[in-house]
Amino acid sequence: MGRDKVTKKRRSREPAERQRKRKRSQIVSKISTSSVRTTSYRRLRNGLKNQLAFSEDRLASIHRTALRVLDNLGIRVLHAEARRKFKVAGALVNEATKIVKIDQTLIEQALASAPSQFTLHGATMEKDVVLGGDSLVFGPVVGPPYVSDLDYGRRPGTLEDTRNFIKLSEHFDVIHVQTTNVESQDIPTQFRHLKTTESQLMLSQKPPFIYSRGASQVLQALEMVRIARGLNIDKFCERPFCYTSINTNSPRQLDMPMCQGIIDFAEAGQMLIITPFTLAGAMAPITISGALILQHAEALAGIALSQIVRPGAPVVYGSFTSNVDMKSGSPAFGTPEFVSAAFGAGQLARHVGLPWRGSAATSSNLPDGQAVYETAMSAWGTVLGGANFMMHSAGWLEGGLTASMEKFIMDVEFLQMLSEIVQWEQLDDDEAAFQAIAGIDPGGHFFGSDHTLSRYRTAFYEPLLSDWSNFGTWTEMGSKTTSVRANEIWKRALQDFEPPFMDNAIADELKDFVARRTREGGAPPES
Amino acid sequence: MGRDKVTKKRRSREPAERQRKRKRSQIVSKISTSSVRTTSYRRLRNGLKNQLAFSEDRLASIHRTALRVLDNLGIRVLHAEARRKFKVAGALVNEATKIVKIDQTLIEQALASAPSQFTLHGATMEKDVVLGGDSLVFGPVVGPPYVSDLDYGRRPGTLEDTRNFIKLSEHFDVIHVQTTNVESQDIPTQFRHLKTTESQLMLSQKPPFIYSRGASQVLQALEMVRIARGLNIDKFCERPFCYTSINTNSPRQLDMPMCQGIIDFAEAGQMLIITPFTLAGAMAPITISGALILQHAEALAGIALSQIVRPGAPVVYGSFTSNVDMKSGSPAFGTPEFVSAAFGAGQLARHVGLPWRGSAATSSNLPDGQAVYETAMSAWGTVLGGANFMMHSAGWLEGGLTASMEKFIMDVEFLQMLSEIVQWEQLDDDEAAFQAIAGIDPGGHFFGSDHTLSRYRTAFYEPLLSDWSNFGTWTEMGSKTTSVRANEIWKRALQDFEPPFMDNAIADELKDFVARRTREGGAPPES
């Protein structure tokens, strides 16, 4: 204390400017050696207010109109067993046209039995995620046939690429679940589900994704998840450990593999996302509310089937409503209409009391400015709409045709920033701030104040990708663009990657299963 | 009618797939020749819900603590006349330390007289903008010494660059006011205000920006605005026709030119934005709430001075609170902390009943991914925080050191999209959508439906910059990146630019004024 006073006195003789500079450089050198900030991106809760697209009246009208679509017009169900199940449950089925008309009572029964919130389980409790309420789950891109990176450009995806995205998705905490990401085109389609499911289970503890491409593939993949989690069939079917996404064939159609997927996943108690593919102006009415009416009707039809199969089956209300470029007919993403549709979709999902899935998407052909602003628009729209699950949230490019390694890293940075924002809570007390202000002379600075020193390690988000150095330093360091820095980051992450723990016996059982199914010819996709 | 039926019948014999393709190509060719969508970006009203950073209790505590800072600690006011005015109004002034202590009553009087909403006038009513309520005004970048574009890279700004940004800001409706944007470094500082003000007035009808760099410059520039608007002094001083931005020298200091600016603008009834430069961890406490307490205290001090000078003077509550990189001490923008601070700043501005100014900003050294995601974060934060005025909303780069031509275009696209979102309202009725859905068979498409055909011209936002073509077409067209396309767009806009109408007599008077003041030696900046 006495010593502090002496130091203080001595310093007060220095010119103010020199004092400041010395202090600052001391702090800066102290800080550069400080430890990394602890982050918590695993169980996100979205504290933002939901933005609305519609008044309560209008929302009710859209819901009513969707019920009218199901009751008066119906939906074409191509799958005979699904039609039979609908019929037994009380729907009006025309076997000639395959049109199933579903009345309000049936929909209300389904909505009553579908859980409004549930947990999707990982290999460990740490990797569990909650769907519903104010939870927010980010999943990586899924579906693109192509992969791209700065080194080799755009090319068909291979299993190695798939495994790389799985590793990155495991590495970053802000990615909560797995997908098969880019298509492993070097693996014949009858074996692909085996390889992609095995890769997700061996390289990651996060809940895996399974495509609904027919019962044979689905049942094999579910079996693999069961083995990996070390459960018997009954225990496995009690809770969801993996998930699939069901796209309706808008307008008003559910095809064979989609119906089969709903049946198989619901029977096994695994998580379903029912996502109509309602592009306004193409497969749906050109107005956003019109597209949402169709989306709502189709989603409710799929949800109803899941609950007919197994009341209480965990199901997520999915939306993918966007618009098309009316000049070319191609889909557009991250548009203002996409955002408004997301706000409306969130309202509809809450109206029926189900968890809601949205997306981050862009039409851009490379990970540049357009890719980032369209993704930022769609991601903000989805998060502000109150989504519980944001699919395609890292790596998506080119309307879903390409998975980009650099874009993946840019998106992870964006998701981490979003996570900080939605979880932000300032608990610091105002008296401490007043004292800090009182301790610094007018025109001075806070670099060396106790208030700063006791907090600087954890005060701010530390970027993964952003370069905050000034132009001179940045130029000296090689004028690296965001893409170049992203390229270095994913390479380092892959280099350092260590597969998570898996019990040897389980790993062997899994390998044996894959080997046996492969010898038996795998399972071709069904359509 | 009969003819339609015949056509319909004939078509029904075609295979469904061929029918669809033919229909679609007909629609597409019809659409390509269609007229451009009408947009309305001039008088934006933000229909989104404001996001909050603090509870009501906490907000009140921050406000109270800021009042305590002003009352107990005070603010150093370097300007003698400003101190005198504070003293006359009842503040406690210490002439030795230049510290002015302002009590709650004085602040409350100022807040009672400052208008909660007012109009900033352009050359025509069409270019008027409203500050306050749910209005949303976008202003371009202001302040950078450097300019950059794809052709010539980064270099010191010249008057020609300044004029180019003024032209672009006039060209795009979504930019509502002018600034001096990049510094015209080829013009000596004693003449620069004459040239930049003249350029804004001759090339644009939107409200111009004037730097507060001493009374001589400010009074000359105000005189020019008065001449350009064809008003006598009394009429000019009745309503605001131009604006300035006042940065406090945080912490707790108002310097000479800033005080002088407040006095001159308030006396002339012109618009002031009082913006503390409170970077958390550097010139302000390291916590966001601490930085906001300081920001609030400093803003209130400046606002109080404006109202002491002239009760009712139009003043905007400005905020620029962000954080610094604790490793290097450099400011960071578009961070999660920036967004949370924006939410809080909006609450504080509404708490004191004043229009609020935020910013769109980034630290990126070039207009790539980082620039776009940081700008998207800060812009969303500002708009969700409920800002009435977003400064630096187009062209800002490199922490405000560079104004980029390509970034300007990227930002305009983003602002247009934001405008569509904040103004979105879906009035279309659900019965029409139901009928449209009823008219299309399951698995069909809506391209040719009447519902689509009667709406496709105006249904969707048409992008300025985004390229939605598929990878093949995009490659054939030269694989143009967002920056390359932006480069083409600003060049075309400049090429096509026509200065707006100005009465010859007024133009001559303005030229004469500039020539005379130039002969007389202009006016050097004061500090």
Side-chain angles (χ1 to χ4, degrees), chain A residues 226-430:
Chain A
R226 186 194 65 72
I227 293 168
R229 299 302 175 241
L231 299 169
N232 65 31
I233 290 184
D234 288 348
K235 284 283 169 201
F236 176 71
C237 294
E238 267 174 20
R239 298 180 298 168
F241 293 90
C242 57
Y243 69 107
T244 194
S245 183
I246 300 291
N247 287 123
T248 57
N249 316 100
S250 309
R252 293 194 291 127
Q253 187 164 283
L254 270 170
D255 70 12
M256 296 289 288
M258 296 295 100
C259 287
Q260 190 64 51
I262 294 175
I263 293 169
D264 293 335
F265 271 77
E267 275 179 355
Q270 301 304 303
M271 173 175 142
L272 281 158
I273 309 175
I274 312 285
T275 311
F277 198 63
T278 38
L279 292 173
M283 294 85 110
I286 194 166
T287 59
I288 294 304
S289 54
L292 288 178
I293 287 168
L294 185 62
Q295 168 196 294
H296 198 56
E298 295 179 1
L300 291 178
I303 290 159
L305 179 56
S306 76
Q307 300 303 306
I308 290 167
V309 172
R310 175 171 166 169
V315 62
V316 172
Y317 182 108
S319 74
F320 204 72
T321 296
S322 191
N323 54 310
V324 296
D325 177 5
M326 292 310 292
K327 288 199 183 99
S328 65
S330 6
F333 298 102
T335 60
E337 293 77 20
F338 182 103
V339 173
S340 301
F343 293 171
Q347 285 185 274
L348 287 166
R350 287 190 296 277
H351 190 72
V352 298
L354 289 181
W356 169 50
R357 168 245 152 145
S359 302
T362 169
S363 302
S364 183
N365 286 299
L366 76 174
D368 67 346
Q370 178 186 336
V372 174
Y373 65 69
E374 286 184 340
T375 304
M377 277 296 176
S378 49
W380 265 108
T382 302
V383 169
L384 289 172
N388 301 107
F389 188 95
M390 186 157 78
M391 217 156 160
H392 306 303
S393 59
W396 162 298
L397 215 57
E398 205 195 305
L401 291 178
T402 289
S404 154
M405 299 295 277
E406 285 79 24
K407 175 74 167 18
F408 190 98
I409 299 299
M410 293 182 200
D411 289 336
V412 165
E413 176 83 305
F414 192 83
L415 296 175
Q416 290 187 170
M417 289 164 78
L418 262 181
S419 303
E420 298 275 341
I421 293 165
V422 302
Q423 296 201 114
W424 191 79
E425 206 178 358
Q426 182 66 262
L427 298 170
D428 223 66
D429 81 296
D430 299 331

Side-chain angles (χ1 to χ4, degrees), chain B residues 346-367:
Chain B
Q347 285 185 274
L348 287 166
R350 287 189 296 278
H351 190 72
V352 297
L354 289 181
W356 170 49
R357 169 245 153 145
S359 302
T362 169
S363 303
S364 183
N365 286 299
L366 76 173

Side-chain angles (χ1 to χ4, degrees), chain A residues 24 28 31 48-54 58 61-62 65 68-69 72-73 76 99 154 251-253 280-290 293-294 323-330 332 334-337 339-340 343 363 365-366 368-370 372-374 376-377 380 384 398 413-414 417-418 420-421 424 426 428 430-431 433-434 437-438 440-447 451-452 455-456 459-462 465-471 474 481-482 485, chain B residues 24 28 31 48-54 58 61-62 65 68-69 72-73 76 99 154 250-253 280-290 293-294 323-327 329-330 332 334-337 339-340 343 363 365-366 368-370 372-374 376-377 380 384 398 413-414 417-418 420-421 424 426 428 430-431 433-434 437-438 440-447 451-452 455-456 459-462 465-471 474 481-482 485:
Chain A
R24 184 158 151 173
V28 167
I31 289 167
L48 298 181
K49 287 188 197 175
N50 295 325
Q51 298 292 342
L52 309 179
F54 302 110
R58 195 62 205 292
S61 163
I62 289 173
T65 311
R68 238 177 100 203
V69 168
N72 294 11
L73 308 176
R76 187 155 68 186
I99 294 283
R154 179 183 186 264
R252 293 194 291 127
Q253 187 164 283
M283 294 85 110
I286 194 166
T287 59
I288 294 304
S289 54
I293 287 168
L294 185 62
N323 54 310
V324 296
D325 177 5
M326 292 310 292
K327 288 199 183 99
S328 65
S330 6
T335 60
E337 293 77 20
V339 173
S340 301
F343 293 171
S363 302
N365 286 299
L366 76 174
D368 67 346
Q370 178 186 336
V372 174
Y373 65 69
E374 286 184 340
M377 277 296 176
W380 265 108
L384 289 172
E398 205 195 305
E413 176 83 305
F414 192 83
M417 289 164 78
L418 262 181
E420 298 275 341
I421 293 165
W424 191 79
Q426 182 66 262
D428 223 66
D430 299 331
E431 180 58 30
F434 178 85
I437 293 169
I440 304 297
D441 285 341
H445 67 77
F446 291 75
F447 279 110
H451 188 257
T452 303
R455 287 168 179 80
Y456 73 89
F460 306 134
Y461 171 68
E462 283 180 18
L465 173 64
S466 296
D467 185 334
W468 292 343
S469 53
N470 65 34
F471 193 83
W474 176 76
T481 63
T482 306
R485 300 193 305 268
Chain B
R24 185 158 150 173
V28 166
I31 289 168
L48 298 181
K49 286 188 198 174
N50 296 325
Q51 298 292 344
L52 310 179
F54 302 110
R58 195 62 205 292
S61 162
I62 289 172
T65 310
R68 240 178 99 202
V69 167
N72 294 14
L73 309 176
R76 186 154 68 185
I99 294 284
R154 179 184 186 263
S250 309
R252 293 193 292 125
Q253 187 164 283
M283 295 85 112
I286 195 166
T287 59
I288 293 304
S289 55
I293 287 168
L294 185 61
N323 55 308
V324 295
D325 177 5
M326 292 311 292
K327 289 198 184 99
S330 5
T335 59
E337 293 78 20
V339 172
S340 301
F343 294 170
S363 303
N365 286 299
L366 76 173
D368 67 345
Q370 180 186 337
V372 174
Y373 65 69
E374 286 185 339
M377 278 296 174
W380 265 109
L384 290 172
E398 205 194 305
E413 175 83 305
F414 192 83
M417 289 164 77
L418 261 182
E420 299 275 341
I421 293 165
W424 190 81
Q426 181 67 259
D428 223 66
D430 300 329
E431 180 57 29
F434 179 85
I437 293 168
I440 304 297
D441 285 341
H445 67 77
F446 291 76
F447 279 112
H451 189 258
T452 303
R455 287 170 179 79
Y456 72 89
F460 305 135
Y461 170 69
E462 283 181 16
L465 172 65
S466 296
D467 185 334
W468 291 343
S469 53
N470 64 36
F471 193 82
W474 176 76
T481 64
T482 306
R485 300 194 305 269

